[in-house]
Amino acid sequence: MGSSVSHAAAPPPPPSPPAVGLAVALPPKQDEKAEPKNVDWLNLPCPVPFEEIQREALMSLKPELFEGLRFDFTKGLNQRFSLSHSIFMGSMEVPSQSSDTFKVPTAHYEFGANFLDPKLMLVGRVLTDGRLNARVKCDLTDNLTLKINAQLTNEPHFSQGMFNFDYKGTDYRTQFQIGNNAFYGANYIQSISPHLSLGTEIFWLGHQRKSGIGFAARYNTDKMVATGQVASTGIVALSYVQKISEKVSLASDFMYNHLTQDVTSSFGYDYILRQCRLRGKLDSNGVVAAFLEERLNMGVNFILSAEVDHRKKDYKFGFGMTVGE
Amino acid sequence: MAKSSASMEKLKGFLSSQINDEEKWALNAVNLPLLYFSFTHLTLLQKLLRAAGLFAASIVLMRNFGDLMAI
């Protein structure tokens, strides 16, 4: 009786439970802070293309907001060929010199044809207002790709065309561009480390005798992507994306334009769920926007778009439906 | 010293002409609060501070409290 505290050695810790199931096959869990792996500097990963350096931020922060009604129907005729029909009825903003927004009511029907092959992609769209968009992507070799973009209009001097030659190396990518109006451009991006890649671009506009140079950097890990771009045209663009999980990411970007003396920063979220994708953002100019794509059924998506500019008192709401892939 | 006192007199004279004259006061005083408190007419520096502040604060929030928004 009585509490006789035994001074014997503390009871041995309970034995670890026997390994069952997968634990037998898998190696034991390492500590949280594993030792850093040795970096193979001659085998760095290939960086993203230069024009896609901010793709995560653009995907989250720049959804295709619209005002009005949108209906897209895509019909696949066979494995490679499909046709698409699109109707849009609403207002489109016309860029104006003053700060007031200038909207033009627009309605158009767009017919499209797509040919998708592993090595060749052809996409064409023709609109009721006479515009034709064409895109070609052709893998000439395993590392060399040719891309052609063309926009043809009825109005003289408004048509545009661009040829891009992309070469993918082991740890670098380079691109050469030729466009109408004597436009020549080139860019190069190189992996410096497994997480960091640096790039540069240069362009020359023949008709206007203008040239420019720009530099870009991208740092990415599993959890985040940070990019920065500076151009001699007076643009500084920074972005940061935090991947919270597979379904959720948060993004923020900052853009300063020295020529127009304009600076904008935005913060947004991107929720990719099983039945829907919801993106929203808040701007330093007082703009709040949201874009929802809800999957109602197999191949049927319902779209809602909203953009509220509190400063200019401009409210844009749109709804639409997408049928087919 | 003489020059600075002369210029101070000129400055005082100028200020009093702006403040004491009814028309000039109406012209100057109206714009003053607008510049400080306007939401629509911000200087570039104010816009830059606002945007940089939003960018930096959002990064800090994302890194420290981002997990709260996970599903």
Side-chain angles (χ1 to χ4, degrees):
Chain A
M1 287 273 284
S3 58
S4 59
V5 179
S6 158
H7 289 281
S16 54
V20 292
L22 272 178
V24 174
L26 293 173
K29 241 190 196 175
Q30 293 177 352
D31 288 337
E32 279 293 318
K33 292 193 178 174
E35 289 172 9
K37 293 184 278 190
N38 285 332
V39 176
D40 186 1
W41 295 103
L42 297 177
N43 238 355
L44 293 173
C46 196
V48 299
F50 189 89
E51 65 266 15
E52 289 179 28
I53 209 164
Q54 291 195 344
R55 68 177 170 201
E56 285 89 357
L58 289 176
M59 275 190 333
S60 296
L61 293 173
K62 305 258 190 288
E64 288 174 5
L65 300 165
F66 60 97
E67 181 177 16
L69 162 76
R70 205 180 100 180
F71 180 76
D72 298 326
F73 175 67
T74 307
K75 171 80 178 167
L77 298 181
N78 61 35
Q79 233 180 4
R80 295 186 180 162
F81 191 61
S82 61
L83 299 176
S84 74
H85 308 268
S86 294
I87 291 174
F88 177 77
M89 299 168 73
S91 308
M92 295 193 64
E93 242 178 63
V94 173
S96 66
Q97 296 295 337
S98 66
S99 63
D100 296 329
T101 50
F102 189 50
K103 288 193 200 177
V104 172
T106 324
H108 62 72
Y109 162 73
E110 182 186 86
F111 174 73
N114 312 316
F115 176 79
L116 296 167
D117 194 52
K119 289 205 175 243
L120 177 65
M121 184 187 88
L122 304 169
V123 171
R125 299 270 183 275
V126 64
L127 285 87
T128 42
D129 53 10
R131 275 182 292 159
L132 171 76
N133 293 333
R135 278 180 24 213
V136 174
K137 184 175 162 221
C138 177
D139 291 340
L140 300 173
T141 68
D142 277 343
N143 293 334
L144 184 63
T145 305
L146 164 68
K147 289 194 235 179
I148 306 172
N149 287 336
Q151 278 140 33
L152 310 176
T153 63
N154 283 332
E155 295 151 41
H157 307 301
F158 271 79
S159 301
Q160 292 174 8
M162 180 93 79
F163 283 78
N164 297 339
F165 292 93
D166 299 353
Y167 183 79
K168 185 174 94 164
T170 48
D171 59 358
Y172 66 93
R173 282 190 201 249
T174 182
Q175 185 184 66
F176 184 62
Q177 298 167 306
I178 306 173
N180 68 330
N181 292 331
F183 172 85
Y184 301 97
N187 60 57
Y188 178 83
I189 183 165
Q190 167 84 51
S191 282
I192 305 297
S193 81
H195 300 295
L196 177 66
S197 45
L198 302 177
T200 179
E201 67 170 342
I202 189 168
F203 71 87
W204 161 254
L205 271 168
H207 285 189
Q208 295 164 26
R209 294 283 190 272
K210 269 193 206 170
S211 65
I213 189 166
F215 300 98
R218 178 184 160 106
Y219 183 84
N220 68 324
T221 65
D222 291 335
K223 292 260 172 196
M224 56 78 103
V225 177
T227 69
Q229 259 183 301
V230 176
S232 66
T233 47
I235 292 181
V236 175
L238 311 170
S239 78
Y240 181 87
V241 177
Q242 182 85 21
K243 294 179 210 171
I244 308 294
S245 72
E246 280 171 14
K247 299 179 188 177
V248 182
S249 52
L250 302 175
S252 177
D253 87 332
F254 174 89
M255 160 88 97
Y256 171 67
N257 191 335
H258 188 68
L259 290 177
T260 60
Q261 299 279 292
D262 192 28
V263 56
T264 307
S265 168
S266 57
F267 168 70
Y269 58 86
D270 187 355
Y271 281 77
I272 304 177
L273 306 174
R274 217 165 10 107
Q275 297 285 74
C276 77
R277 182 173 185 184
L278 174 64
R279 287 175 271 186
K281 73 165 187 197
L282 166 69
D283 224 326
S284 65
N285 293 330
V287 176
V288 179
F291 191 81
L292 169 72
E293 293 157 282
E294 174 94 23
R295 199 175 74 148
L296 300 179
N297 207 345
M298 184 70 184
V300 180
N301 287 348
F302 179 62
I303 304 171
L304 284 176
S305 160
E307 189 180 0
V308 171
D309 190 342
H310 290 286
R311 191 161 59 100
K312 293 183 192 172
K313 304 253 190 292
D314 181 26
Y315 313 115
K316 292 191 240 188
F317 297 97
F319 69 99
M321 202 148 225
T322 309
V323 180
E325 299 116 41
Chain B
M1 278 305 269
K3 276 188 187 169
S4 62
S5 60
S7 56
M8 277 301 291
E9 287 301 319
K10 276 190 193 166
L11 188 62
K12 281 185 191 168
F14 172 70
L15 278 174
S16 59
S17 75
Q18 295 295 313
I19 292 169
N20 294 333
D21 188 6
E22 276 296 325
E23 284 181 7
K24 293 266 179 356
W25 173 250
L27 177 73
N28 289 328
V30 161
N31 290 334
L32 215 62
L34 204 64
L35 279 173
Y36 285 127
F37 301 118
S38 165
F39 183 57
T40 53
H41 296 97
L42 290 177
T43 63
L44 177 65
L45 180 64
Q46 286 169 322
K47 279 201 260 184
L48 192 64
L49 286 174
R50 189 176 62 180
L54 177 66
F55 185 61
S58 61
I59 291 179
V60 166
L61 282 176
M62 278 192 272
R63 288 186 70 90
N64 295 331
F65 304 111
D67 292 334
L68 294 175
M69 292 196 67
I71 293 183

